Amino acid sequence: MSLSTIETTVVPSAPERRTVPAVAFWTIFVLGAVAGGYYVEQALATPAMFTHLMDLSVYQIAGHRVADGVSIYDTPLLGHTRGVWEFVYTPFAALLFVPLIDLHGEPYTWVGMLGNFAMLTASAWAALSMLGYRRDRRLVLLGLPIAGLLLWCEPVRETMAFGQINIFLLLLVLADMALPDSSRWKGVLTGIAAGIKLTPAFFVIYLLVTRRYRAAATATGAFAATVLIGLAAMPKDSLTFWSGAFADPTRVGVPENPSNESLRGMLARTVGVAGNHQLLWLAGAFAIAAICLCLARRLSLTGHELPAVVLCGLTTTAVSPYSWVHHWVWLAPLLIYLADLAFRRRGIAAPLGLLLALAVASGGVFALLGSAFSSTINYPSDKTFGLLIHNAYIWLTLALFTTAAIQSRRLRTQAVEPSRMR
């Protein structure tokens, strides 16, 4: 039997949307209120740790440079050291930062924090919608306590503290993928996300391999529009960026930096940066991307859209030349998916998977054990188990690949058996 026949067999009809049970709603509501309240208490007590908004301040400097007609790529935005505080986003992204130049004092802090929290809430709503829950008032309200719980996911917490753009990009892609395939607007938000930071362009390939050609074309068109807008408003900087600055990882920093939580960072810290390091990283990144697309295609074709999209999001971060901890915000919808799975399925496999992901995404359990290492990335990579612990995000992603492959094989077997009986 051909692959196309199997795919046709296993694609389910659109199920009726579920309603969040009352017990689950109130449990999440209480837990989210406690978690969110504790986060606010900590943020007010130690603003230098929770609300310093350093990256948002750098975005503000980029907005000032655009308004003043000064290049954003020729020199670092702060200081004079290459690879430190250099602008690494597109000219279109810099245009989006111009409105920040009028924000100062407390309004600046509140906009930075509440803006990210609102987008985190909307991202949770989009993820739940992709899981098949009814888009009613209860689901809208549930997004708030879920966001409160996700504040303790380390990449989310770091994004909030730095005032980073990652949650915004997460929301754009999730909201786009939550649209029905029949929507003529599907692909627009993904194209805009790629026009701000290039890594979401991977989702255009995902749309292609899942045969959503119109959405892929729409995303490509939206991306092209952002390039043209940037070119029209900032021709010199656009030429600098697209002629090579976008492909220069040294603008971010050295690959062996302990904070580089990507495959390249892991390899650089393990085998060094000399010799065939670059070739090894490219081969590994290509292999991971290819495997991800195969698995995500199978998940999508069998009606598991959210895990397919999450797998792609984690892959973009894993294969990127440089990934800070706050780039791993795709762990947030992963936790939502695993929590839903643990709630609906019997057995211990799903709850154990959720606990493992929670241990990694929260930064580890070291602080709870009285250790000086409050995060997995603080664990020395040259110590015992350092290769495993320090690179926990990479290993978690590869573990998800294995799980997805096993599930894909099970679904294929279930599809073949009824076909043989006919």
Side-chain angles (χ1 to χ4, degrees):
M1 186 166 58
S2 68
L3 178 62
S4 60
T5 303
I6 295 176
E7 290 172 352
T8 303
T9 304
V10 299
V11 173
S13 58
E16 183 180 351
R17 287 193 169 269
R18 297 175 285 148
T19 301
V20 179
V23 174
F25 176 84
W26 288 111
T27 301
I28 295 171
F29 193 88
V30 171
L31 292 176
V34 172
Y38 183 64
Y39 178 91
V40 171
E41 178 185 343
Q42 294 297 306
L44 293 175
T46 55
M49 180 179 295
F50 283 85
T51 61
H52 54 78
L53 302 179
M54 292 179 64
D55 284 359
L56 189 64
S57 298
V58 174
Y59 298 159
Q60 191 176 50
I61 294 173
H64 273 290
R65 285 199 182 186
V66 172
D68 296 338
V70 179
S71 174
I72 55 176
Y73 298 113
D74 289 349
T75 59
L77 299 181
L78 282 176
H80 306 283
T81 305
R82 281 298 314 274
V84 181
W85 301 118
E86 293 199 59
F87 193 74
V88 296
Y89 301 107
T90 66
F92 176 74
L95 293 174
L96 299 181
F97 298 142
V98 172
L100 294 176
I101 64 179
D102 294 324
L103 290 175
H104 305 282
E106 287 190 7
Y108 172 78
T109 302
W110 284 109
V111 167
M113 296 299 294
L114 292 180
N116 259 329
F117 183 77
M119 290 185 288
L120 181 62
T121 302
S123 298
W125 182 88
L128 291 171
S129 175
M130 293 175 70
L131 285 173
Y133 285 100
R134 188 173 300 162
R135 299 169 182 174
D136 54 13
R137 185 189 307 173
R138 177 175 290 186
L139 194 67
V140 173
L141 293 175
L142 196 61
L144 288 169
I146 289 178
L149 288 167
L150 290 176
L151 289 173
W152 294 102
C153 172
E154 186 177 30
V156 171
R157 189 168 68 244
E158 290 287 293
T159 294
M160 295 285 291
F162 279 91
Q164 257 282 344
I165 200 172
N166 306 301
I167 296 176
F168 177 53
L169 299 176
L170 172 71
L171 173 60
L172 288 178
V173 175
L174 278 179
D176 200 13
M177 296 300 160
L179 291 174
D181 291 342
S182 58
S183 173
R184 68 178 64 182
W185 300 104
K186 192 179 183 79
V188 171
L189 296 180
T190 297
I192 293 174
I196 296 171
K197 183 180 179 180
L198 297 181
T199 48
F202 187 74
F203 287 95
V204 180
I205 305 176
Y206 167 69
L207 290 173
L208 286 173
V209 300
T210 52
R211 302 178 182 178
R212 286 173 278 195
Y213 302 121
R214 184 176 68 176
T218 301
T220 303
F223 170 75
T226 66
V227 175
L228 292 176
I229 291 172
L231 180 63
M234 306 164 61
K236 180 178 179 297
D237 275 339
S238 292
L239 181 61
T240 299
F241 183 80
W242 294 111
S243 63
F246 75 94
D248 182 7
T250 62
R251 295 180 62 85
V252 185
V254 295
E256 64 270 26
N257 189 318
S259 296
N260 183 11
E261 291 297 299
S262 70
L263 176 67
R264 187 170 185 237
M266 183 177 74
L267 291 174
R269 290 187 296 269
T270 305
V271 302
V273 295
N276 295 325
H277 161 262
Q278 187 83 351
L279 184 60
L280 183 62
W281 163 59
L282 288 173
F286 179 82
I288 289 175
I291 294 171
C292 168
L293 289 171
C294 290
L295 294 173
R297 179 171 181 262
R298 171 62 61 184
L299 287 169
S300 177
L301 288 172
T302 53
H304 299 82
E305 186 67 9
L306 180 61
V309 171
V310 167
L311 207 61
C312 288
L314 292 173
T315 296
T316 63
T317 313
V319 304
S320 176
Y322 209 103
S323 294
W324 299 92
V325 171
H326 49 69
H327 290 166
W328 286 87
V329 291
W330 280 97
L331 289 174
L334 171 67
L335 293 175
I336 292 175
Y337 170 69
L338 292 177
D340 177 71
L341 208 61
F343 177 79
R344 291 189 297 107
R345 284 192 178 179
R346 296 180 180 179
I348 63 171
L352 285 178
L354 174 61
L355 289 176
L356 174 62
L358 281 171
V360 174
S362 64
V365 295
F366 299 107
L368 298 177
L369 300 176
S371 171
F373 306 119
S374 59
S375 170
T376 54
I377 67 167
N378 292 332
Y379 194 89
S381 56
D382 58 346
K383 297 291 184 180
T384 305
F385 301 117
L387 180 63
L388 176 65
I389 296 174
H390 188 105
N391 305 291
Y393 293 154
I394 299 292
W395 297 119
L396 176 61
T397 301
L398 296 180
L400 292 171
F401 277 24
T402 303
T403 304
I406 294 172
Q407 180 67 11
S408 174
R409 184 179 182 87
R410 182 179 299 138
L411 290 171
R412 180 177 297 188
T413 301
Q414 292 173 354
V416 171
E417 291 300 327
S419 299
R420 286 176 176 172
M421 297 174 62
R422 287 198 291 266

